[in-house]
Amino acid sequence: MDFELSDEQKLLKDSVERFVKDNYATEARAKLADTELGFSRDHWKKMAELGWLGLPFAEEVGGFGGTAVETMIMMESMGRGLVLEPFLATVILGGGLVAEAGSAEQIEAIIPELIEGKMMLAFAYAEPQSRFDLNNVATTASKSGDGYVLNGHKAVVYHGTTADKIIVSARTSGDALDTDGISLFLVDNDAEGVSRRDYRTIDGQRAADIMLENVKVGADALLGAEGKAYPAIEKVASRAIAALCAEAVGAMQTANEITNEYMKQRKQFGVPIGKFQVLQHRMVDMYMEAEQSKSMSDMVAMKLDLGDELDARKAVSAAKAQVGNAAKFIGQQSIQLHGGMGMTDEYSIGHYFKRLTTIEMLFGNTDYHFKKFAALSS
């Protein structure tokens, strides 16, 4: 699949690529990853000034009304540099949930602040027992006067450390695996009863396990209708998966370029290893996997904007399965072709391998989405 970008889309692509080139050389990224935040607030401010944080939001709230295609273009370029700023966590997930499920008052209070770079969000959906099922929610929200009391344990909340507000999925009714009965709540990160265990993930980003112990929130913290949040969660998760697929495509393409260049320079038996036919075949396989993933990523972005939810969900799972499989193959082959030095922190290819490995697992691994696609197609 191939399609032409509009002039505006080409400008967006060029601006993100220029940002990555100027700010995300291997050493510069390593220094950022080693900071306490794990990213740069100056970079975040620059993203706000360039209008990127408002890309997917409606013009009525200060956004640019971009589609999933524009998000794909941006994430693909970010994937080339392994960008660390919490665009996915804050804009796609957090902002997406507010825009999808929030009231007019909540949208007006949060989205403009987010677009200006003044507010960061995170989505706490995963739990220790939930695996990849978004409906496996044991965290509870009990009515208390005019508000609610939240109790539970949320795991691997990406950028939960730096978010100003955490969007928490909690069960207000129903059994543990029911899709009905799940609600969303806006919780201040420093609210009484909230405790965190912050850590660095394998791909150099930041995450947190968040404990909620008798956390009191008002009725205005409820995002959308009580017990009816699952469709919004599923829709926003689909858009996040599409964004991850695009990011993976950018990372895979760059991993291939790095590996191809290394094979031209690394000599064995007096000749570059790129001269060996069996390794040339390996590089062709890696190139084809990246190209197939690119086609799937492009396809799912367009499907998301067409409005057919079932078709979009099938496309999302198909793309995630293909991209996950390709990410694993390209990442592992890149490391093997580099040898032991590929896993050193000083060399860039290991960081691409780690990010691709993480993306393969986020929101469901390859096997999970193969099964999901089969179920949706039956």
Side-chain angles (χ1 to χ4, degrees), residues 125 130-133 241 244-245 316-328 356-373:
Y125 63 92
S130 63
R131 187 62 172 166
F132 302 128
D133 296 323
I241 291 169
L244 284 168
C245 288
V316 164
S317 283
K320 188 60 162 63
Q322 162 60 35
V323 169
N325 194 55
K328 185 184 296 184
L356 288 170
T357 300
T358 301
I359 288 175
E360 196 269 335
M361 295 293 293
L362 286 173
F363 288 102
N365 63 11
T366 303
D367 288 343
Y368 176 86
H369 280 285
F370 269 130
K371 292 175 182 176
K372 187 173 182 179
F373 177 78

Side-chain angles (χ1 to χ4, degrees), residues 251-303:
M252 285 188 281
Q253 289 173 340
T254 305
N256 281 345
E257 291 165 8
I258 292 170
T259 304
N260 190 42
E261 188 62 30
Y262 175 77
M263 288 172 63
K264 292 177 183 178
Q265 298 174 4
R266 175 74 167 91
K267 290 186 176 182
Q268 190 72 21
F269 306 114
V271 296
I273 62 174
K275 295 286 187 181
F276 301 149
Q277 191 175 58
V278 67
L279 299 187
Q280 292 174 358
H281 290 171
R282 185 91 56 90
M283 281 303 306
V284 170
D285 290 341
M286 293 163 66
Y287 175 81
M288 291 301 298
E289 288 289 349
E291 286 300 299
Q292 289 172 4
S293 297
K294 168 66 174 167
S295 294
M296 292 295 285
S297 177
D298 292 351
M299 178 271 292
V300 76
M302 290 186 285
K303 290 278 189 182

Side-chain angles (χ1 to χ4, degrees), residues 74-377:
M74 189 167 179
M75 291 298 293
E76 191 175 305
S77 296
M78 285 185 172
R80 283 188 161 272
L82 303 180
V83 170
L84 294 164
E85 279 66 44
F87 184 85
L88 182 77
T90 289
V91 178
I92 306 299
L93 287 171
L97 286 169
V98 173
E100 185 66 30
S103 65
E105 292 78 12
Q106 289 169 326
I107 291 172
E108 188 176 343
I110 294 173
I111 298 300
E113 291 280 296
L114 186 159
I115 291 172
E116 293 176 11
K118 297 177 181 178
M119 181 179 292
M120 291 185 175
L121 303 174
F123 180 28
Y125 63 92
E127 299 183 6
Q129 84 293 336
S130 63
R131 187 62 172 166
F132 302 128
D133 296 323
L134 298 169
N135 58 304
N136 192 332
V137 177
T139 297
T140 60
S142 307
K143 280 275 194 178
S144 177
D146 294 333
Y148 298 83
V149 176
L150 276 62
N151 284 281
H153 177 189
K154 291 296 183 178
V156 198
V157 181
Y158 261 77
H159 294 284
T161 303
T162 50
D164 301 293
K165 291 182 182 292
I166 310 291
I167 299 176
V168 177
S169 61
R171 188 163 293 284
T172 46
S173 63
D175 295 328
L177 297 178
D178 290 347
T179 55
D180 199 34
I182 299 172
S183 303
L184 292 172
F185 295 91
L186 288 161
V187 179
D188 290 336
N189 208 342
D190 58 356
E192 185 177 352
V194 175
S195 59
R196 297 194 322 266
R197 183 177 71 86
D198 304 329
Y199 50 89
R200 180 172 172 172
T201 56
I202 189 175
D203 55 348
Q205 303 212 26
R206 296 294 189 276
D209 286 354
I210 296 178
M211 300 297 298
L212 305 162
E213 186 173 354
N214 296 322
V215 178
K216 297 179 180 179
V217 296
D220 59 347
L222 179 65
L223 201 61
E226 181 181 313
K228 304 298 180 183
Y230 186 75
I233 293 172
E234 191 172 45
K235 184 174 181 179
V236 171
S238 290
R239 292 187 171 268
I241 291 169
L244 284 168
C245 288
E247 182 187 351
V249 166
M252 285 188 281
Q253 289 173 340
T254 305
N256 281 345
E257 291 165 8
I258 292 170
T259 304
N260 190 42
E261 188 62 30
Y262 175 77
M263 288 172 63
K264 292 177 183 178
Q265 298 174 4
R266 175 74 167 91
K267 290 186 176 182
Q268 190 72 21
F269 306 114
V271 296
I273 62 174
K275 295 286 187 181
F276 301 149
Q277 191 175 58
V278 67
L279 299 187
Q280 292 174 358
H281 290 171
R282 185 91 56 90
M283 281 303 306
V284 170
D285 290 341
M286 293 163 66
Y287 175 81
M288 291 301 298
E289 288 289 349
E291 286 300 299
Q292 289 172 4
S293 297
K294 168 66 174 167
S295 294
M296 292 295 285
S297 177
D298 292 351
M299 178 271 292
V300 76
M302 290 186 285
K303 290 278 189 182
L304 285 171
D305 290 328
L306 293 177
D308 186 326
E309 289 194 21
L310 177 59
D311 199 32
R313 285 163 58 199
K314 287 169 62 177
V316 164
S317 283
K320 188 60 162 63
Q322 162 60 35
V323 169
N325 194 55
K328 185 184 296 184
F329 178 76
I330 291 172
Q332 291 175 352
Q333 296 303 319
S334 295
I335 293 298
Q336 185 177 44
L337 290 169
H338 277 82
M341 66 177 293
M343 286 304 294
T344 61
D345 285 341
E346 292 77 17
Y347 208 69
S348 62
I349 196 64
H351 299 287
Y352 283 90
F353 168 71
K354 291 172 185 176
R355 181 58 183 162
L356 288 170
T357 300
T358 301
I359 288 175
E360 196 269 335
M361 295 293 293
L362 286 173
F363 288 102
N365 63 11
T366 303
D367 288 343
Y368 176 86
H369 280 285
F370 269 130
K371 292 175 182 176
K372 187 173 182 179
F373 177 78
L376 290 169
S377 301

Side-chain angles (χ1 to χ4, degrees), residues 35-91:
T35 62
E36 185 177 352
L37 284 177
F39 65 92
S40 167
R41 289 199 183 274
D42 288 338
H43 289 354
W44 191 250
K45 182 180 178 182
K46 182 68 172 178
M47 289 180 176
E49 291 172 352
L50 290 167
W52 297 349
L53 304 187
L55 184 68
F57 302 114
E59 295 179 9
E60 292 77 14
V61 291
F64 286 87
T67 68
V69 173
E70 280 76 40
T71 300
M72 175 205 70
I73 292 167
M74 189 167 179
M75 291 298 293
E76 191 175 305
S77 296
M78 285 185 172
R80 283 188 161 272
L82 303 180
V83 170
L84 294 164
E85 279 66 44
F87 184 85
L88 182 77
T90 289
V91 178

